[in-house]
């Protein structure tokens, strides 16, 4: 677990705060067993052009890109991708070009969805964007774009969607270490961590880091896209491969990977009233700004499970993975429903 060996570059604002959520805890105390005691790990405050969970991954990915003398970061995401925004920001910070393929995954033709929020910030940060239809083979499109950059004489560095490979996941191995250290200093016994889980790097890095430390803290991933079996398989594979990089593959077991994908609703990036209610409750209790695609859905799950008594008596840390910049891409969806 000697992460310096992977030569991350440092630009994130770390450690991120670990804070109690007293008003949200109170709002969810109505279950017969009293509900959970809620804390929040503020990875929305990682500081890179709005911050979010991709920043920690990018510290390791940029380290690798610079070691490989890359001059262009190449990546992909959905139109309102927070990963793309943070990658565009990291490219600017290091004087690299950034070429992006955005997948029109939700099918929304709303002006704010296609032009505001993260898209506006991508352009402000100088990324070159191109958009492809939903269902495009994004890995192939990414390989083609990288070949195009190389043909022009550039040196591309390909970052997969969400920055979720074994190098990016190291950022969440580091987060697991940081969180456990903070909890130890505070005398806080954590019973569970709850996080949104998408391209899997965050969830996998946390599971791998906690397993390698022997911290024995379960992680519940709330899915935002894939069904449970697919999501858990993706997370497990990446968690094992990440631990393997440090020689601890066998410490990650299949039971450590748990995803609840019952809160996806209509699909990736599609917002229902449960998500809107979660956004409003987090904002109106502890003034936490969540996002419509990931943390709003994870909070919708956390609220529903808390009300069902699933976390009674537990100290639960909600990992805030960021994304509030995406709110402005959903203005027309949210207006009048808050
Ligand atoms: C990308 C993202 C996630 C999901 O993280 P993965 O590592 O892709 O699973 C969660 N929340 C926000 C705000 C994100 O942008």
């Amino acid at each position: 677990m000697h992460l310096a060996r992977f030569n991350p570059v440092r630009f994130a604002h770390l450690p991120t705060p670990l804070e109690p959520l007293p008003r949200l805890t109170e709002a969810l105390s109505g279950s017969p067993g009293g509900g959970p005691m809620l804390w929040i790990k503020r990875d929305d405050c990682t500081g890179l052009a709005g911050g979010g969970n991709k920043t920690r991954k990018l510290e390791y990915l940029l380290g690798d890109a610079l070691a490989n003398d890359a001059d262009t970061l190449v990546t992909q995401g959905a139109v309102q991708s927070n990963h793309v925004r943070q990658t565009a920001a990291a490219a600017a910070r290091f004087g690299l070009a950034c070429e992006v393929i955005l997948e029109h995954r939700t099918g929304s033709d709303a002006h704010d969805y296609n032009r505001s929020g993260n898209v506006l910030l991508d352009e402000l940060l100088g990324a070159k964007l191109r958009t492809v239809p939903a269902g495009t083979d994004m890995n192939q499109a990414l390989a083609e774009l990288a070949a195009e950059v190389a043909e022009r004489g550039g040196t591309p560095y390909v970052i997969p969607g969400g920055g979720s490979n074994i190098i990016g996941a190291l950022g969440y191995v580091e987060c697991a270490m940081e969180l456990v250290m903070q909890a130890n200093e505070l005398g806080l016994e954590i019973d569970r961590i709850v996080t949104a889980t998408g391209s899997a790097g965050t969830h996998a890095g946390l599971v791998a880091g906690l397993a390698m430390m022997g911290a024995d803290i379960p992680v519940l991933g709330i899915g935002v896209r894939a069904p449970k079996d697919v999501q858990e398989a993706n997370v497990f594979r990446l968690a094992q491969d990440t631990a393997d990089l440090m020689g601890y593959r066998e410490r990650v077991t299949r039971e450590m990977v748990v995803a609840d994908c019952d809160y996806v609703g209509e699909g990736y990036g599609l917002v229902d009233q449960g998500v809107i209610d979660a956004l409003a409750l987090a904002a109106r209790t502890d003034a936490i700004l969540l996002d419509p695609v990931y943390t709003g859905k994870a909070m919708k799950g956390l609220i529903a499970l808390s009300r069902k008594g699933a976390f009674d008596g537990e100290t639960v840390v909600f990992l805030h993975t960021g994304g509030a910049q995406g709110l402005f891409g959903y203005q027309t969806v949210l207006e009048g429903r808050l």
Side-chain angles (χ1 to χ4, degrees):
M1 285 262 277
H2 193 8
L3 292 168
R5 284 191 185 129
F6 300 96
N7 299 311
V9 285
R10 295 305 188 185
F11 46 81
H13 296 182
L14 303 179
T16 58
L18 175 62
E19 301 171 332
L21 291 173
R23 300 232 318 127
L24 186 58
T25 296
E26 173 63 27
L28 298 179
S29 64
S31 95
M37 181 78 77
L38 294 173
W39 285 65
I40 189 165
K41 175 69 171 157
R42 297 295 302 271
D43 272 18
D44 56 323
C45 300
T46 53
L48 180 70
N53 61 338
K54 306 312 178 309
T55 300
R56 288 186 190 268
K57 302 179 185 183
L58 285 163
E59 286 198 325
Y60 287 86
L61 292 162
L62 261 288
D64 193 39
L66 296 176
N68 285 287
D69 297 321
D71 59 17
T72 306
L73 300 183
V74 176
T75 197
Q76 59 101 349
V79 172
Q80 282 294 334
S81 168
N82 303 297
H83 161 69
V84 167
R85 166 179 42 86
Q86 288 161 85
T87 302
R93 269 295 286 272
F94 291 89
L96 309 178
C98 185
E99 300 256 358
V100 173
I101 313 170
L102 296 177
E103 182 191 3
H104 207 261
R105 200 180 291 165
T106 65
S108 167
D109 57 11
H111 183 75
D112 53 6
Y113 184 82
N114 288 287
R115 301 302 311 154
S116 187
N118 282 302
V119 181
L120 180 68
L121 299 176
D122 295 343
E123 289 182 342
L124 180 61
L125 291 160
K128 282 212 188 91
L129 310 175
R130 60 182 80 179
T131 305
V132 297
T136 299
D137 182 337
M138 296 304 283
N139 290 330
Q140 195 194 322
L142 207 51
E144 284 167 11
L145 177 54
E148 193 185 305
V149 170
E151 225 162 89
R152 293 200 301 259
T155 308
Y157 182 82
V158 175
I159 299 179
S164 286
N165 56 20
I166 52 176
I167 296 171
L170 291 174
Y172 274 85
V173 171
E174 183 175 323
C175 180
M177 294 170 68
E178 182 183 299
L179 175 60
V180 169
M181 197 139 75
Q182 285 174 313
N184 287 342
E185 278 168 13
L186 287 163
L188 182 74
E189 267 186 67
I190 301 172
D191 295 306
R192 195 180 303 277
I193 299 167
V194 173
T195 180
T197 183
S199 67
T202 302
H203 191 176
L206 283 177
V207 166
L210 293 164
M212 284 188 280
M213 276 185 284
D216 202 20
I217 302 172
V219 180
L220 174 64
I222 310 271
V224 299
R225 188 179 186 187
K228 179 181 171 75
D229 55 342
V230 174
Q231 188 65 24
E232 288 185 347
N234 288 345
V235 173
F236 180 48
R237 190 181 324 112
L238 186 52
Q240 272 198 322
D241 290 350
T242 304
D244 192 46
L245 203 54
M246 272 162 282
Y248 291 117
R249 185 178 193 85
E250 72 293 341
R251 290 206 191 171
V252 176
T253 61
R254 180 62 186 81
E255 317 79 70
M256 290 175 181
V257 176
V258 181
D260 184 336
C261 299
D262 290 347
Y263 301 95
V264 176
E266 295 287 292
Y268 175 87
L270 302 177
V271 169
D272 54 41
Q273 194 59 45
V275 174
I276 296 174
D277 292 346
L279 295 176
L281 186 64
R284 292 167 193 182
T285 52
D286 290 300
I288 299 296
L289 301 180
L290 300 176
D291 83 288
V293 181
Y294 297 95
T295 53
K297 248 167 220 183
M299 185 56 74
K300 170 188 160 191
L302 178 61
I303 291 168
L305 290 165
S306 296
R307 289 192 170 138
K308 279 198 242 173
F311 306 130
D312 281 348
E314 290 187 3
T315 295
V316 173
V317 174
F318 181 77
L319 176 65
H320 189 159
T321 44
Q325 296 72 20
L327 284 168
F328 302 101
Y330 281 79
Q331 183 173 349
T332 45
V333 173
L334 300 175
E335 252 171 5
R337 297 170 73 189
L338 294 164

